[in-house]
Amino acid sequence: MDMHTIYNYIEGVVWQIIAMATLLLFYRKSIPDALLLMVSFIIFGISDFIEVQTGAWWRPWWLLVMKGLCLVGIAFAIYRLKKQNSGKIE
């Protein structure tokens, strides 16, 4: 097993841990944006496990799209949560 494969497995596990930490932080608030953030982290971690099998983050094309959508979801959720915490979103 090469270092790239090991790194992807570790990265996939780290994203799952981050998703669970997000769940623990927001489980009482039931905020849709926090749920989007958690789901995006879970799917992003899964995409790393898929990457181990495909050998690249851009092959097949749908893996690249999956990773891109996760990044958009993470960025959008963080933006909304920051706005919500500052009282600008109703």
Side-chain angles (χ1 to χ4, degrees), residues 42-88:
I42 289 171
I43 295 171
F44 201 69
I46 291 169
S47 74
D48 282 320
F49 297 129
I50 295 170
E51 185 180 334
V52 168
Q53 303 302 315
T54 65
W57 56 268
W58 66 88
R59 281 189 323 246
W61 65 269
W62 54 264
L63 183 59
L64 174 61
V65 172
M66 175 193 250
K67 285 183 175 278
L69 289 173
C70 287
L71 291 175
V72 169
I74 291 167
F76 180 73
I78 289 172
Y79 170 78
R80 297 266 307 169
L81 287 166
K82 284 183 121 182
K83 288 281 213 176
Q84 190 175 48
N85 285 336
S86 67
K88 295 180 180 171

